[in-house]
Amino acid sequence: MIRAVLCCLCCFLLEGVFGVETDEIEVAVMEGDSFTLRAGLTEIQRDDEVEWRFGSSRTRIIRIAAGNVTRYDDEKFRERLKLERETGDLTITNVSNEHNGVYQLSIIIKNKKTIKRFAVTVYATLPTPVIFIDPSQCSERSRIVLCSVLNVSHVTLSWYKENGLLSNISVSDLSISISLPLEVEYQDKNTYRCVLNNPISYKTQQLDISGLCQTRSDCDCDLCFDTTEAVIRLVVTALMGVAAVAATVLLIKDIRRAGRTHTIRQRCT
Ligand SMILES: *[C@@H]1O[C@H](CO)[C@@H](O)[C@H](O)[C@H]1NC(C)=O
Ligand SMILES: *[C@@H]1O[C@H](CO)[C@@H](O)[C@H](O)[C@H]1NC(C)=O
Ligand SMILES: *[C@@H]1O[C@H](CO)[C@@H](O)[C@H](O)[C@H]1NC(C)=O
């Protein structure tokens, strides 16, 4: 009895997983790039019908029937759509976030209908991560360096020591600001990198150890403190999900300033 139930459950699960996966072809694309969805046809005949639809509402985009191509008016796809008449391949150029979603192709040849689905994920252009020091966490032995990025989703932020991964943090579909701390001892002369990546691209920021404060007292410098503390407070706020637009704008300004902390810090030391 139990075995039968388990088996049934298994069948359901398998069907659920593989039913979707085999149907849906995944496509990843960077914002601003183009992508082509292949219909897999070689020569469309006069009697064949090919139709592309988009999104959960399956809105028609373009169709070939009786040898004619019909475009359906949609702001999102205007000037961005190319359909290969011979093959039915669909190309979308200069993509943005609004082209993210499922594209459904239906082909009718000799009264036989075939459906194909393409799940297109559009990834935003990544910002370069910003590295700054958290002076409130300096100790006699080490200081804490934070690597931050604003308003990101579907990314992983990581710290590498030489080529080894030290730590990372991932963001799924929410657009939030994140920071990842790294403790660096004063004598440490290793190379550290902070890397922000999504499945198709990455941005790297090298940690400039010589630009960091070299002793506890350097790190406590008041001048440096003002800027960085403000940044940390804002990043923490954003982390807690209170990412009001005003705060985010402030944060951007402050992070930009924090980018210049090295200069300020050098003046302090
Ligand atoms: C296809 O185009 C031809 C000529 O432009 C027209 O006569 C015919 O009605 C069109 N067929 C369809 C199905 O729209
Ligand atoms: C690409 O699309 C954006 C809007 O999403 C537009 O501002 C930009 O001008 C377009 N670029 C080209 C080359 O068409
Ligand atoms: C954050 O990202 C979202 C989606 O990528 C965008 O719509 C929004 O304008 C961004 N906000 C800021 C402050 O950059």
Side-chain angles (χ1 to χ4, degrees):
M1 170 69 182
I2 289 175
R3 201 177 292 167
V5 169
L6 275 179
C7 185
C8 235
L9 247 173
C10 250
C11 294
F12 269 124
L13 287 176
L14 284 178
E15 217 171 291
V17 173
F18 295 112
V20 174
E21 277 187 8
T22 46
D23 272 352
E24 223 163 71
I25 297 163
E26 296 199 358
V27 177
V29 60
M30 286 295 288
E31 211 171 51
D33 285 354
S34 11
F35 64 87
T36 298
L37 305 178
R38 307 260 175 229
L41 301 172
T42 44
E43 201 178 331
I44 295 172
Q45 304 297 312
R46 205 179 156 73
D47 292 337
D48 302 343
E49 259 183 61
V50 174
E51 184 179 80
W52 286 98
R53 292 177 179 246
F54 173 69
S56 49
S57 54
R58 302 269 180 265
T59 315
R60 273 186 182 145
I61 313 174
I62 200 160
R63 182 166 191 254
I64 304 179
N68 296 347
V69 177
T70 313
R71 285 163 184 268
Y72 296 89
D73 204 29
D74 189 325
E75 191 59 46
K76 280 197 279 303
F77 296 109
R78 194 168 295 157
E79 312 285 320
R80 284 196 165 93
L81 216 56
K82 269 186 230 148
L83 185 72
E84 197 66 56
R85 258 193 108 101
E86 290 281 290
T87 61
D89 294 353
L90 181 74
T91 299
I92 306 212
T93 56
N94 189 21
V95 304
S96 71
N97 197 34
E98 56 182 1
H99 304 107
N100 204 64
V102 175
Y103 292 74
Q104 178 176 295
L105 165 71
S106 60
I107 301 169
I108 304 177
I109 295 178
K110 296 193 171 73
N111 289 327
K112 190 172 172 292
K113 186 168 178 173
T114 319
I115 302 251
K116 269 197 193 179
R117 291 195 184 88
F118 301 81
V120 173
T121 309
V122 179
Y123 290 97
T125 311
L126 296 175
T128 303
V130 174
I131 296 175
F132 56 88
I133 200 160
D134 177 355
S136 67
Q137 293 192 56
C138 288
S139 72
E140 293 305 331
R141 211 167 51 84
S142 67
R143 63 284 214 218
I144 303 287
V145 174
L146 292 172
C147 181
S148 291
V149 279
L150 294 175
N151 202 17
V152 286
S153 57
H154 302 286
V155 294
T156 299
L157 187 64
S158 318
W159 271 116
Y160 286 86
K161 177 181 183 173
E162 307 300 338
N163 286 319
L165 177 66
L166 285 179
S167 60
N168 63 14
I169 177 175
S170 292
V171 181
S172 58
D173 49 354
L174 281 172
S175 184
I176 58 167
S177 300
I178 47 171
S179 318
L180 191 62
L182 169 73
E183 183 175 5
V184 192
E185 293 186 4
Y186 295 113
Q187 299 78 18
D188 196 336
K189 294 288 177 279
N190 287 294
T191 310
Y192 293 94
R193 270 176 311 131
C194 178
V195 179
L196 177 70
N197 75 285
N198 60 26
I200 53 175
S201 65
Y202 68 91
K203 286 275 174 69
T204 296
Q205 184 70 266
Q206 194 88 24
L207 172 65
D208 173 17
I209 283 213
S210 64
L212 295 178
C213 49
Q214 300 302 324
T215 65
R216 166 78 202 252
S217 51
D218 284 355
C219 294
D220 281 344
C221 168
D222 280 345
L223 239 181
C224 315
F225 195 82
D226 284 347
T227 320
T228 32
E229 193 200 32
V231 175
I232 291 152
R233 222 184 272 141
L234 280 162
V235 168
V236 170
T237 312
L239 267 175
M240 287 163 71
V242 196
V245 172
T248 318
V249 170
L250 248 176
L251 187 55
I252 292 168
K253 267 202 273 176
D254 273 312
I255 292 252
R256 287 207 183 118
R257 270 201 280 147
R260 297 200 296 266
T261 318
H262 288 171
T263 337
I264 302 170
R265 188 174 305 285
Q266 269 153 9
R267 242 195 289 136
C268 309
T269 54

